[in-house]
Structures are given as C-alpha cells and as structure tokens.
Amino acid sequence: MRILFVGAGATGGYFGGRLAAAGRDVTFLVRPARAASLASRGLRLTGPDGTTSVRPRTVTAGQIDGPYDVVVIAVKSYGLEQAMIDLAPAVGPSTVVIPLLNGMRHVDELVGAFGPSRAWGGVCMIHASLDEHGDVVQMTGLHRISFGRLDGSDVPAPIVEAFDGAGFDAFASPTIVQDMWEKWVFLASLGAATTLMRATVGDINRAPGGNAFGARIAAEAMAIATAAGHTPRPAAVSVLQNGLSTDQPMTSSMYRDMMAGLPVEAEAILGDFVAEADKHGVPVPALAAAYTNLAIYSAKRGG
Ligand SMILES: NC(=O)C1=CN([C@@H]2O[C@H](COP(=O)(O)OP(=O)(O)OC[C@H]3O[C@@H](n4cnc5c(N)ncnc54)[C@H](OP(=O)(O)O)[C@@H]3O)[C@@H](O)[C@H]2O)C=CC1
Ligand SMILES: CC(C)(CO)C(=O)C(=O)O
C-alpha cells in the first residue's frame, strides 16, 4: 500500500512518521526547504512516549512518479490550493484522498477536484507543533485518526490495515461527515476561546467570568451545528463541555500559531463557521468577536 503524505508538518510529520517507523511504504510530498531539513536531520517525533527518528522518503512537486493508493493531505487550509496542484499526479483512478485539515471547506474543494469516490473525509486529534529544529513535538498522549467515505459506505480492509497498529489510534468511520462537524464545533470553540483571550483553557477558567465565557462559546458553536443539521451527539457534547471547562493548559493549534506570529486558519475555522451562523440566523456574538480578532491579527501580519 503506497501512502503519500502531503506536508510533513505537525500532523503529517507525526502520523506519517509513525507509519514510516512501523515499516509502512510512506513518502512525503514536501517543499524544497523541508526536503533539505529532513534529509540532513531526519524526521524526529518527540512526545510523552519518548523520541522516534526516521529517515523519510521525500519527493517535491514535479517528482511524483505515478499514483499512490492513499494520499493524506496535512497542509494548512491556506496551502491547500497549491498542494492540490502539486499532488495531482499522485491521484490515479482508485486513489483514496484523506484530508486531516480542520474545518469543512476543503471537502467541497477535494470533491470538486477528485470526485466523491476518491475524496474521503478525515479527522485527526492531536496536540502537536514543529519546534525550531523542525522536529514534531507531541504535547499530550492524544493521537487519533479517523477516515471514511463521505457517503458512509464500507471502507475496504486494506485501507484500514494501512493505518492500523502503527502506534496511534486509527478508525474507519461510517459517520465521517458528522465526525468532521463535531471536530469543527470543538476546534472552533477551543480556537475562538484561546485566541480571543490569548490564554490556555486553564488560564481562562481561573479568570473571573472565564467559565461562563467558555460555556457561551460552546453553546453558540453547538447552535450553529444544530442549525446546519449536524447536532453534536452526546459524546461530542461532553468532550466539548469538559474540554472548555478544564483547568489544564489546553490550547489549539490556531492559538499556538498566533503566539508564534504565524498565519492562522481564520477563514476556514471561524470565518466559515460564523457564515454558517449568519446563513441560519443564529446569533453568535462571542464567536463573531473571535473571528474579528483573528481577521485583525491576519491583516496586521499581512495574511
Ligand atoms: N497541529 C495540530 O495539533 C493539529 C492540526 N490540525 C489541522 O491539521 C492541518 C495541518 O496542520 P499542521 O500539521 O499543524 O500544520 P503545519 O503548519 O505544522 O504543517 C503543514 C505543512 O504543510 C506543508 N506544505 C504546505 N504546502 C505544501 C505543499 N504545496 N507541498 C508540500 N508541503 C506543503 C508545510 O511545509 P513548509 O515547511 O514547506 O511550509 C508545512 O510543513 C490544519 O488544518 C490544522 O488545523 C488538526 C489537529 C491538530
Ligand atoms: C482539537 C485539536 C485541539 C486537537 O486535535 C485541534 O484540532 C487543533 O489544535 O487544531
């Protein structure tokens, strides 16, 4: 099973690196600077389980030698357009394309480019970043991927086996669209709270009014999903409520990017979410303020 990871950043580097370390046939599509860094230093994953190091196989745009069985897309939303051009030669008639991006807009883009039988859904849950050396730092023990066809039909066993037993949790899901919506609700809430307050969830909850603020954000996010026909299931509601009321220093990737002065996925994560609220007439003042805050941040940094 030939697997191509598009991007060797925090998520692609982590899950692709684990698969490579488990002996799977993994190649990374990367840009030249990342290719050079991976060639000289290798791909290192550090986290609660220690450090793993692999020498990954890489290709850059123009070097793809034919179709892969599975293409996993692990770029930020603002990199997707170019990535789709670069990865196109890797997609043959029976290739499966699995995105790990947050938000939902990429689903339409991938279906538009590759059609509904090849463009699948995907969700990853992990707290990870790249450090100054380009090593992947996993901050908690959470590392889970789920994937599935958008119409919920069966996932062939070889695809399940491709991700199974590689040192992270992997699941084929018959409800991947709903899963992605629930992840969006969680991440939009977490991203909104942490970037607006410029604080971890624990810090927010220790501040006066912090608990009520988190609860308001969560209620707004659930109202959007419900209006859009994706009412979060009870398990997702409790993950959201527990997540936003924790005293732990939990953050979102968008918060970490903002603190590092990097671009943020404001449009794909909060812009589209607030637009859904507007479409359905759902009042979301806290989420709208968080989106405005991110838009100001993006404008000031020039994108
Ligand atoms: N980090 C996290 O904890 C989590 C992130 N997510 C989501 O996963 C998605 C990916 O995020 P994350 O992995 O953190 O992002 P990163 O910025 O860490 O990694 C993205 C990588 O994509 C690479 N890239 C961009 N364009 C191309 C291209 N055309 N060809 C090859 N490589 C390319 C970048 O490479 P270069 O070095 O060349 O810039 C970069 O290394 C996002 O939507 C995010 O919201 C989901 C769950 C958790
Ligand atoms: C939900 C969470 C926090 C973990 O996967 C995430 O997706 C992110 O930080 O981008």
Side-chain angles (χ1 to χ4, degrees), residues 24-297:
R24 311 294 159 86
D25 183 355
V26 173
T27 302
F28 291 91
L29 172 61
V30 290
R31 296 190 285 200
R34 187 67 173 141
S37 134
L38 292 171
S40 66
R41 188 175 169 82
L43 175 58
R44 295 187 198 191
L45 319 179
T46 50
D49 295 336
T51 299
T52 302
S53 196
V54 288
R55 289 271 155 203
R57 190 181 312 125
T58 63
V59 288
T60 52
Q63 293 180 336
I64 294 174
D65 60 356
Y68 283 74
D69 299 300
V70 178
V71 172
V72 180
I73 306 185
V75 302
K76 290 273 171 57
S77 59
Y78 46 79
L80 182 63
E81 194 179 344
Q82 183 60 46
M84 281 169 55
I85 295 168
D86 296 346
L87 70 83
V91 181
S94 50
T95 302
V96 166
V97 178
I98 298 175
L100 301 184
L101 286 75
N102 279 318
M104 288 302 287
R105 63 164 60 178
H106 58 280
V107 174
D108 290 341
E109 292 169 42
L110 293 172
V111 169
F114 305 119
S117 66
R118 294 184 297 182
W120 288 22
V123 166
C124 77
M125 293 295 288
I126 188 166
H127 296 102
S129 290
L130 290 188
D131 71 9
E132 68 277 19
H133 307 294
D135 298 348
V136 178
V137 180
Q138 181 200 12
M139 288 138 202
T140 68
L142 179 69
H143 46 189
R144 188 168 76 232
I145 280 191
S146 49
F147 48 84
R149 295 185 201 269
L150 297 172
D151 66 4
S153 57
D154 281 355
V155 171
I159 307 281
V160 178
E161 285 154 16
F163 291 94
D164 202 33
F168 57 83
D169 304 317
F171 302 97
S173 171
T175 57
I176 197 68
V177 173
Q178 177 69 15
D179 301 349
M180 292 174 78
W181 260 92
E182 288 171 354
K183 166 79 190 286
W184 195 14
V185 166
F186 182 68
L187 188 264
S189 304
L190 184 66
T194 52
T195 57
L196 191 54
M197 294 301 168
R198 285 179 161 70
T200 71
V201 180
D203 287 339
I204 294 170
N205 282 320
R206 277 186 289 276
N211 240 290
F213 169 74
R216 193 175 327 132
I217 291 251
E220 289 183 10
M222 287 192 284
I224 295 175
T226 298
H230 295 283
T231 305
R233 292 165 291 189
V237 173
S238 70
V239 167
L240 175 65
Q241 289 173 339
N242 292 339
L244 284 193
S245 59
T246 182
D247 60 359
Q248 297 300 304
M250 194 200 292
T251 60
S252 60
S253 55
M254 201 154 61
Y255 166 82
R256 296 191 292 277
D257 286 339
M258 185 189 229
M259 290 300 117
L262 297 169
V264 291
E265 298 171 290
E267 297 305 323
I269 293 173
L270 277 172
D272 289 356
F273 207 46
V274 170
E276 279 289 333
D278 291 346
K279 191 164 96 189
H280 298 288
V282 179
V284 290
L287 288 169
Y291 171 49
T292 302
N293 174 55
L294 285 171
I296 293 168
Y297 167 84

